[in-house]
Amino acid sequence: MIKIKNYTNKQKKLRMFLSSLILTTSIITLSSCSNNAANNSSNTTTANTISSTGQPDTNTTSSTTSGSESNSSNETNSAENKTYKIGDNLIQNDVSIVVNKVRQDSSVQSSSDGNKVIFVEITITNNSAADLPINAETNFALYDMDEVSCNSLFIETKGIVDGVINPGNKVTGEIAYEVNKEAKEADLEVNTISNGKVDYIHLNFD
């Protein structure tokens, strides 16, 4: 025998109320999720809009600044490392240095059969208001193309590059160096001022 379960009116109303409550809760939950998703999308769009139209992009600004500093640094280094040539007027503060020429004298014996002697003629002009002490050993140095220092020689030259140059005066003299007999060029390092600035004059000779 099959028993049929009968519900009273009160029970039926209770079941209908519970079903309605569950359905309402589900609708509210779905609505809340939809609103959250919409809000997130709106926030993302707003952030992107501000980044592209209002506030500066931090990463881009940093990269641009770094690039500008790098370019400025490269330009400064390029200016500091400029190499002059024979006849150029090199200025260090108020001091003018010009290499007029480089000569060789086959009658002058070098200390080694594999070397030769060259004479570098330099004119230094003191345009400052103070005396300028000059020393061929400390203010000048010669390097071959392998960046090896060449020896200066204490021999007779046409004029000397030593002593004190008074304001407004100039001096012309030679410095003798011993270089490899096969050498045809070298770089003269010049540092006539106390702040350590160094420049180079490229020398060509046969």
Side-chain angles (χ1 to χ4, degrees):
M1 180 181 291
I2 300 175
K3 294 183 178 181
I4 300 175
K5 188 173 182 178
N6 296 319
Y7 295 99
T8 64
N9 288 335
K10 185 175 182 179
Q11 289 175 324
K12 289 180 179 179
K13 289 181 179 181
L14 179 62
R15 287 175 60 84
M16 291 177 65
F17 173 74
L18 291 176
S19 297
S20 176
L21 180 62
I22 292 172
L23 179 61
T24 301
T25 302
S26 298
I27 292 172
I28 292 173
T29 301
L30 290 174
S31 177
S32 176
C33 292
S34 176
N35 288 337
N36 288 338
N39 288 337
N40 290 338
S41 176
S42 176
N43 290 339
T44 301
T45 302
T46 301
N48 290 338
T49 301
I50 292 175
S51 175
S52 61
T53 62
Q55 300 296 329
D57 191 325
T58 303
N59 292 334
T60 302
T61 302
S62 175
S63 176
T64 302
T65 302
S66 176
S68 298
E69 291 176 352
S70 177
N71 289 337
S72 176
S73 176
N74 289 337
E75 289 174 0
T76 301
N77 289 335
S78 177
E80 289 180 350
N81 295 334
K82 179 179 178 180
T83 299
Y84 298 81
K85 61 182 183 297
I86 296 174
D88 285 347
N89 186 18
L90 165 61
I91 303 295
Q92 291 187 341
N93 282 3
D94 293 321
V95 180
S96 167
I97 305 100
V98 178
V99 171
N100 303 311
K101 62 182 179 180
V102 179
R103 69 178 179 91
Q104 300 182 56
D105 189 342
S106 58
S107 65
V108 179
Q109 296 295 319
S110 64
S111 62
S112 171
D113 291 338
N115 293 338
K116 63 183 177 183
V117 177
I118 64 172
F119 297 86
V120 182
E121 183 183 276
I122 305 171
T123 295
I124 304 170
T125 305
N126 181 10
N127 296 313
S128 72
D131 289 341
L132 175 68
I134 288 293
N135 184 285
E137 285 289 301
T138 58
N139 298 130
F140 300 92
L142 189 71
Y143 294 90
D144 64 18
M145 302 316 295
D146 292 323
E147 299 184 354
V148 176
S149 178
C150 303
N151 294 328
S152 59
L153 304 176
F154 295 97
I155 59 177
E156 184 178 355
T157 59
K158 296 179 180 179
I160 60 173
V161 186
D162 282 297
V164 176
I165 305 175
N166 300 126
N169 290 345
K170 65 180 179 180
V171 64
T172 297
E174 290 182 331
I175 306 176
Y177 291 101
E178 188 173 22
V179 300
N180 187 284
K181 68 178 182 180
E182 301 299 331
K184 295 184 178 181
E185 54 187 331
D187 288 324
L188 182 69
E189 182 183 271
V190 182
N191 178 19
T192 62
I193 53 182
S194 59
N195 67 359
K197 183 178 185 296
V198 174
D199 292 292
Y200 293 89
I201 302 176
H202 187 70
L203 310 180
N204 289 294
F205 46 88
D206 294 327

